[in-house]
Amino acid sequence: MTNDRPPSTDTQGPLWEVFTQEEQGAPHRHAGSVHAADAEQALQNARDVYARRGEAISLWVVPADAIVASTPGDAGPFFDPGNDKAYRHPQFYKVPRGVRGL
Amino acid sequence: MTTLPPDVAAPRETPLGAPIVEFVLRLGDDRLVLGHRLSEWCGHAPVLEEDIALANVALDLIGQGAAMLALAGKLEGRGRDEDALAYLRDEREFRNCLLVEQPNGDFAVTIVRQFLFDAWSVLYLDALARCPHAELAALAARALKEDTYHLRHSSQWMLRLGDGTPESHERAQRALDALWRFTGELFEADAVDAAVAKQGIAVDREAIRARWNDIVSDVARRATLTPPDEPHMASGGRTGRHSEHLGHLLAEMQIVARSHPGAGW
């Protein structure tokens, strides 16, 4: 989980991850990334690249460096144990009709 | 006003039409021409994000221009739609200000031109959005929303270029010096303006000039740039006397429509 990426050879400025919210109450979802020299430029670039056709009502931009990610090597210990215990999965309930957003 | 060479100064401009038509043509032509200028950056901007940003601004302006020219055509009542006005008029019939037809130059020239225009446009549209002409007010209100974002974008670049590296500062200052003489025209009022003012479409140029000066000096100060002390202002675009650049722009913009009249896809 260490941030041991090689130094960037990118000449277009720091990378920012962009999250867009499509409607009130919906979660912000990862939309992509932009290059920008600072937060205001990142916000504007995100708007221009990912929200110019009215796709969003709110935007987050996060310096890509600030994101800590799991590595492929973590996949076994992190994610596999959940698969073979059926009782951990809430699939034995009937969801009443009319309930949305689950 | 600068002295133009005789062949340019010769009064070959077309006679002005009805004041309200002229007034709306000026609005529409500003946006069509600036939008086309910005579209020339498509695929050439310094970084991908800015390429898309400039294309967005261009599309906003071309959309505004199309809507305004459509209104001008309707008010004129001679059956010309926005395409006829955009593609089938000659240079002398265009009513845009000289600022917007100036070539893109380097990125600093494009940004300074955009900033000077945006700061003026938001003030002008804000006044127009409150005029009694319902259609015009509605177009102005819609355009104002877009131009408010354009101003935010161009202001941000003014700060970045002016207060950036020595080279970006020098280029931004050079652009400001070169374009400054085209800003006086933005605040001119002539017989057309006086005539539409009688219909209640009055934009107080002096009030706008004062507020524009405030915006420009504030951004310039923060960008460590100095607006030049330039008393000579160029003029003529509003009556069809343009700089040598508009003809070339129109030749490129109009060639397809003129080579294939009535073509569609």
Side-chain angles (χ1 to χ4, degrees):
Chain A
M1 286 208 305
T2 51
N3 194 347
D4 55 359
R5 275 169 279 182
S8 171
T9 54
D10 202 323
T11 57
Q12 301 179 67
L15 197 64
W16 302 68
E17 298 299 335
V18 179
F19 299 82
T20 57
Q21 186 187 31
E22 287 177 14
E23 55 185 30
Q24 205 70 42
H28 283 72
R29 292 182 196 279
H30 187 234
S33 56
V34 292
H35 294 91
D38 63 23
E40 169 65 14
Q41 194 181 47
L43 209 50
Q44 289 188 18
N45 285 348
R47 180 266 184 196
D48 283 322
V49 177
Y50 295 107
R52 68 187 184 280
R53 299 191 185 99
E55 298 95 330
I57 59 159
S58 167
L59 282 174
W60 290 348
V61 288
V62 182
D65 283 353
I67 291 176
V68 182
S70 63
T71 64
D74 295 330
F78 266 40
F79 309 122
D80 282 354
N83 289 344
D84 56 357
K85 301 180 196 65
Y87 51 84
R88 302 195 67 160
H89 296 274
Q91 59 197 8
F92 305 106
Y93 307 95
K94 283 211 156 87
V95 178
R97 273 188 301 162
V99 174
R100 297 187 190 283
L102 276 182
Chain B
M1 189 171 151
T2 51
T3 313
L4 295 165
D7 60 320
V8 178
R12 281 194 290 132
E13 67 261 34
T14 54
L16 299 183
I20 182 69
V21 176
E22 287 293 320
F23 185 82
V24 179
L25 276 179
R26 290 172 179 183
L27 281 172
D29 285 348
D30 279 351
R31 285 154 184 82
L32 176 65
V33 170
L34 185 55
H36 184 82
R37 271 286 180 240
L38 288 177
S39 78
E40 294 170 1
W41 272 106
C42 206
H44 301 281
V47 292
L48 175 109
E49 287 83 351
E50 190 55 28
D51 203 286
I52 294 173
L54 287 176
N56 283 342
V57 176
L59 288 170
D60 283 349
L61 290 171
I62 291 169
Q64 293 173 15
M68 288 166 179
L69 290 184
L71 177 60
K74 197 176 113 184
L75 292 168
E76 182 189 51
R78 283 172 45 201
R80 293 200 286 183
D81 64 5
E82 66 270 34
D83 286 338
L85 288 170
Y87 296 123
L88 303 178
R89 276 182 304 155
D90 290 329
E91 183 191 338
R92 299 280 163 161
E93 298 168 276
F94 270 77
R95 300 294 184 236
N96 57 280
C97 59
L98 300 175
L99 176 66
V100 296
E101 71 198 36
Q102 298 311 305
N104 286 338
D106 58 16
F107 187 64
V109 171
T110 294
I111 289 301
V112 170
R113 183 186 64 200
Q114 193 64 36
F115 169 70
L116 296 173
F117 178 85
D118 291 341
W120 169 76
S121 181
V122 294
L123 299 171
Y124 198 90
L125 292 173
D126 182 55
L128 217 49
R130 287 177 274 116
C131 83
H133 192 293
E135 281 175 285
L136 197 51
L139 286 182
R142 205 180 70 190
L144 175 60
K145 230 183 252 184
E146 296 174 341
D147 287 16
T148 301
Y149 180 76
H150 301 171
L151 177 60
R152 180 169 168 174
H153 185 77
S154 56
S155 301
Q156 177 250 156
W157 270 114
M158 288 292 287
L159 302 183
R160 188 173 307 289
L161 295 177
D163 195 15
T165 65
E167 182 176 1
S168 72
H169 173 87
E170 196 212 323
R171 285 178 184 243
Q173 183 63 53
R174 211 186 303 151
L176 194 58
D177 292 344
L179 292 171
W180 193 256
R181 68 196 183 95
F182 300 111
T183 58
E185 193 182 30
L186 301 175
F187 307 103
E188 283 176 0
D190 63 5
V192 166
D193 297 288
V196 297
K198 290 194 186 121
Q199 303 171 44
I201 307 171
V203 180
D204 183 344
R205 302 300 153 84
E206 287 315 308
I208 286 184
R209 187 201 294 270
R211 291 175 64 196
W212 181 85
N213 272 326
D214 288 345
I215 296 174
V216 171
S217 350
D218 175 59
V219 171
R221 184 183 48 77
R222 289 190 286 139
T224 72
L225 296 168
T226 315
D229 187 18
E230 167 67 75
H232 299 293
M233 288 292 170
S235 175
R238 297 304 186 202
T239 52
R241 286 181 296 122
H242 293 280
S243 58
E244 68 270 33
H245 308 295
L246 183 65
H248 298 285
L249 179 150
L250 293 181
E252 187 171 307
M253 189 181 86
Q254 298 180 331
I255 185 157
V256 174
R258 291 191 181 220
S259 309
H260 307 277
W265 71 80

